[in-house]
Amino acid sequence: MKTFIKTFVLPSLFIVAISTQVSGQTRRSSTTNANKKVTTTTRVTTTKTTTAPRSTGRRVSSTKVTYKTPKKKVVSVRSVPNRTVINHKGQNYYYSNNKYYTQSRGHYVVIPPKVGFRINVLPSNHKRVYFNNRNYFNAGGIFYIQTNNQYEVVEPEVGTVVYELPNDYEKVVIDGLTYYEYANVLYEKVQVNGARAYEVVGIIEIN
């Protein structure tokens, strides 16, 4: 009987034990592989695109701006023929020959209209400027957008490009760098397809 147990029973138990161990290893291997699949899935990188809100961008305090000429250029005349009077927030503007004037000490001084100023008809010298899915109308360095049946003065967005500036622009220095300024809009000279142009880089805030 002892011989039977040694010859048949013990080898059978050994085979069963080996089979169980192999089966356990197989299950652990399958589990490990499954875990690897999960890890690979969680490592997939998703790129998220965020659209920034519309903004005029960089704003510079007037205290940081130094004008290269000691006195700001002032264009004045004694009379404004064929003028149109436009009142905006209690201030009279006198419009004639594509320019706006204000009255001061018996003279009419050229002055850019402020943001929010509205007119019914654009100045005849306006040019269309398209930037960032928005239509601007630039006339003598002043930017307008169409609002219903009127045209409103606005600040241009940083990156907007024009190909000429008004004759009475100013050169200014900010942090050691030279820019061009008109109506509190800062420009930097650039090249576009080999042509000279001016790109809006910021707005001067009056303190």
Side-chain angles (χ1 to χ4, degrees), residues 67 69 71-76 97-99 101 110 112 125 127 138-142 162-171 179-183 187 196 198:
Y67 285 82
T69 54
K71 293 184 178 180
K72 189 175 179 65
K73 297 176 183 177
V74 177
V75 178
S76 65
N97 195 28
N98 293 325
K99 294 182 184 295
Y101 300 83
V110 174
N125 64 337
K127 294 182 179 179
N138 181 279
I142 305 301
V162 297
Y163 290 89
E164 61 182 355
L165 295 178
N167 294 331
D168 50 342
Y169 70 82
E170 299 275 354
K171 284 187 178 182
Y179 300 93
Y180 301 85
E181 178 269 336
Y182 184 78
Y187 300 86
R196 182 178 62 187
Y198 301 90

Side-chain angles (χ1 to χ4, degrees), residues 6 53 94 105 110 115 126 137-138 142 175 182 186 206:
K6 291 181 180 179
Y94 303 90
R105 298 181 181 180
V110 174
V115 170
H126 73 270
F137 301 93
N138 181 279
I142 305 301
D175 296 331
Y182 184 78
L186 291 169
I206 304 300

Side-chain angles (χ1 to χ4, degrees), residues 6-195:
K6 291 181 180 179
T7 305
F8 295 101
V9 175
L10 291 179
S12 299
L13 292 175
F14 178 76
I15 292 173
V16 170
I18 293 296
S19 300
T20 303
Q21 183 177 3
V22 171
S23 177
Q25 289 178 347
T26 302
R27 285 196 298 272
R28 285 197 297 272
S29 176
S30 300
T31 303
T32 302
N33 290 336
N35 289 338
K36 286 183 180 179
K37 289 181 181 180
V38 171
T39 302
T40 303
T41 302
T42 56
R43 288 180 182 176
V44 174
T45 303
T46 302
T47 303
K48 181 179 179 180
T49 302
T50 303
T51 303
R54 187 184 299 278
S55 171
T56 54
R58 182 189 179 194
R59 307 188 77 83
V60 181
S61 169
S62 59
T63 59
K64 296 182 179 180
V65 180
T66 302
Y67 285 82
K68 285 202 168 185
T69 54
K71 293 184 178 180
K72 189 175 179 65
K73 297 176 183 177
V74 177
V75 178
S76 65
V77 295
R78 289 187 178 276
S79 63
V80 179
N82 302 320
R83 68 190 187 188
T84 301
V85 181
I86 305 171
N87 185 277
H88 175 66
K89 293 185 178 180
Q91 180 178 1
N92 281 335
Y93 290 84
Y94 303 90
Y95 176 74
S96 176
N97 195 28
N98 293 325
K99 294 182 184 295
Y100 296 93
Y101 300 83
T102 187
Q103 198 169 22
S104 176
R105 298 181 181 180
H107 287 73
Y108 293 90
V109 180
V110 174
I111 181 174
K114 296 178 181 179
V115 170
F117 179 90
R118 290 189 178 190
I119 53 177
N120 295 323
V121 180
L122 284 170
S124 59
N125 64 337
H126 73 270
K127 294 182 179 179
R128 188 186 297 268
V129 179
Y130 185 75
F131 178 73
N132 201 14
N133 297 322
R134 195 176 193 184
N135 275 316
Y136 291 98
F137 301 93
N138 181 279
I142 305 301
F143 289 84
Y144 303 83
I145 59 169
Q146 188 169 8
T147 304
N148 297 325
N149 295 323
Q150 291 186 310
Y151 299 91
E152 180 177 343
V153 175
V154 295
E155 294 176 344
E157 297 173 70
V158 167
T160 306
V161 172
V162 297
Y163 290 89
E164 61 182 355
L165 295 178
N167 294 331
D168 50 342
Y169 70 82
E170 299 275 354
K171 284 187 178 182
V172 300
V173 178
I174 303 172
D175 296 331
L177 299 176
T178 299
Y179 300 93
Y180 301 85
E181 178 269 336
Y182 184 78
N184 297 326
V185 179
L186 291 169
Y187 300 86
E188 185 175 26
K189 188 184 290 186
V190 296
Q191 291 283 326
V192 177
N193 297 326

